Amino acid sequence: MSALFEPLRLRGLELPNRAWLSPMCQYSAGADGVPTDWHLVHLGARITGGFGLVLTESTAVSPQGRISAADVGLWSAEQVDGWRRITDFAHAHGTAIGVQLGHAGRKASTMVPGHGRGSLPPEQGGWPALAPSATAYRGFATPVAASTTELDRIVADFASATERAVEAGFDVVEIHAGHGYLLHQFLSPRANHRTDTYGGPFENRIRLLVRVVDAVRAAWPDDRPLLVRIPGTDWVDGGWTPEESIELAVRLAGRGADLLDVTTGGLDPDQRIPVGPGYQVPFARRVRAAVPGVAVSAVGLITDPEQAEAIVGDGDADVVLLAREALRDPSWPLRAMARLAPRRLTESYPWQYSRAVPAPSTVDLTK
């Protein structure tokens, strides 16, 4: 049996394989943050495409936490109803679905991609961005340094969004603490210049994320898994380091995180990333070695079925997340299955597409 197509159990949820859809912003919600027909069709294609778990794009826990005015959210009952339409579709087709909860911090209130760059001007509906410190991401407006009262509210917003995720029918929640958004900003000395209990030493910089993890885990049912996306490195001097990632992973493993989704970069425009196939996999490998009791995922330029199979089969990660490749090919897992685990094809194809199942003569049935 292919390692990529072995099931994985996280708490009370069994996922049929280890090829999952990575969260990817679509910037296609209305001003109310409700998912639209685009989200149903976009996620629906991957729901029927064989992914073991489908994760939504980063979903804002508050209006202020949106990256752009076209972001989806989970702060209202109307949004719950919009997501329920999509989770019902997933469950009707036997696919698990998770929501990634996030807050953009100093990268909030930006122009919608394709409609401009940089921060959205106030006269066009922009709003003040909150951050650890009043230090802008280059090219963006200067944010407001969050008060401790505002940080308390943000923790509560994550908890409330988690409760709405239960109402919306999600199977998994992921906390987004990577890609230069708010929780990552607190982790990194390049963005966090505070002198209170949320800044300075490692213990202080991880404080907000730890509080969010505790609040989300308390609001999330015990039988459902919690994922946390963490940075492996900032790729810049004076930033977050791989050693800090490992120490953070150990802490989160003891606080109810069931899978650590290891990514890199996005915090500082001075980053220098040696981009290439699987370039982030070594960071996942190190975290997995440090926390053997917790699952770890790898993401980043994973495109080929044999490449994904090797990552899981060699023990570099428990799961691979597909991003751009999944945009190009919504049925990537079915294509990979035809090459790696052809005996699973008939049970995995939607019956409406059964005429497209590759004939046995075209695949190697010895695998």
Side-chain angles (χ1 to χ4, degrees):
M1 172 63 73
S2 157
L4 188 63
F5 290 100
E6 282 285 340
L8 176 68
R9 175 167 288 275
L10 297 175
R11 297 198 181 230
L13 183 65
E14 181 159 304
L15 291 311
N17 64 57
R18 283 95 176 312
W20 297 358
L21 180 71
S22 185
M24 287 175 285
C25 290
Q26 299 296 295
Y27 302 107
S28 297
D32 54 6
V34 175
T36 63
D37 287 347
W38 175 266
H39 297 91
L40 176 63
V41 173
H42 163 68
L43 293 171
R46 282 88 193 158
I47 285 166
T48 59
F51 286 93
L53 174 67
V54 168
L55 289 165
T56 72
E57 64 198 85
S58 183
T59 301
V61 298
S62 68
Q64 191 172 35
R66 293 171 296 167
I67 303 167
S68 79
D71 282 25
V72 289
L74 248 182
W75 67 78
S76 74
E78 187 180 7
Q79 292 161 352
V80 169
D81 292 341
W83 283 120
R84 171 61 79 170
R85 183 171 68 132
I86 296 171
T87 62
D88 283 350
F89 182 84
H91 297 150
H93 293 275
T95 301
I97 184 167
V99 61
Q100 185 188 69
L101 299 178
H103 188 298
R106 69 180 187 176
K107 295 173 85 172
S109 188
T110 65
M111 304 284 282
V112 176
H115 295 79
R117 299 184 65 180
S119 296
L120 185 68
E123 61 271 19
Q124 295 182 31
W127 59 93
L130 283 179
S133 308
T135 306
Y137 185 86
R138 189 181 305 153
F140 289 15
T142 300
V144 176
S147 68
T148 55
T149 299
E150 287 168 324
L151 296 182
D152 290 342
R153 189 189 71 231
I154 288 169
V155 173
D157 287 341
F158 271 93
S160 295
T162 302
E163 293 170 355
R164 292 189 184 95
V166 177
E167 296 176 43
F170 285 104
D171 304 295
V172 170
V173 159
E174 176 171 89
I175 298 167
H176 195 351
H179 294 175
Y181 297 121
L182 182 72
L183 298 176
H184 185 181
Q185 292 161 25
F186 270 87
L187 296 177
S188 176
R190 295 279 294 202
N192 184 347
H193 309 300
R194 298 174 75 100
T195 57
D196 63 1
T197 56
Y198 289 93
F202 173 83
E203 293 290 345
N204 287 357
R205 287 183 282 115
I206 70 170
R207 189 181 307 277
L208 181 61
L209 174 56
V210 167
R211 288 189 63 196
V212 167
V213 169
D214 287 347
V216 169
R217 184 71 268 178
W220 190 235
D222 286 342
D223 64 342
R224 299 188 201 183
L226 171 63
L227 283 53
V228 185
R229 173 162 273 190
I230 65 171
T233 180
D234 284 343
W235 297 110
V236 65
D237 290 342
W240 181 258
T241 68
E243 293 72 26
E244 289 177 311
S245 299
I246 291 170
E247 184 58 35
L248 175 64
V250 172
R251 308 295 179 88
L252 298 182
R255 308 193 85 90
D258 301 293
L259 180 142
L260 299 174
D261 174 3
V262 183
T263 184
T264 67
L267 186 283
D268 194 300
D270 289 332
Q271 63 189 11
R272 294 292 180 267
I273 305 177
V275 175
Y279 69 101
Q280 297 180 139
V281 172
F283 299 96
R285 182 190 307 125
R286 290 185 63 180
V287 170
R288 189 171 188 264
V291 286
V294 175
V296 171
S297 63
V299 65
L301 287 185
I302 299 170
T303 60
D304 184 76
E306 284 76 16
Q307 175 196 18
E309 174 73 14
I311 290 168
V312 177
D314 293 346
D316 293 331
D318 299 279
V319 170
V320 294
L321 295 179
L322 282 294
R324 288 174 176 82
E325 189 65 16
L327 295 181
R328 290 185 281 265
D329 184 356
S331 299
W332 187 94
L334 295 178
R335 178 166 61 85
M337 198 178 300
R339 286 158 62 171
L340 302 173
R343 294 185 186 277
R344 295 277 301 276
L345 280 173
T346 301
E347 67 189 57
S348 301
Y349 259 76
W351 68 264
Q352 296 93 334
Y353 294 167
S354 58
R355 74 192 71 177
V357 178
S361 61
T362 67
V363 296
D364 182 358
L365 292 178
T366 65
K367 292 187 177 181

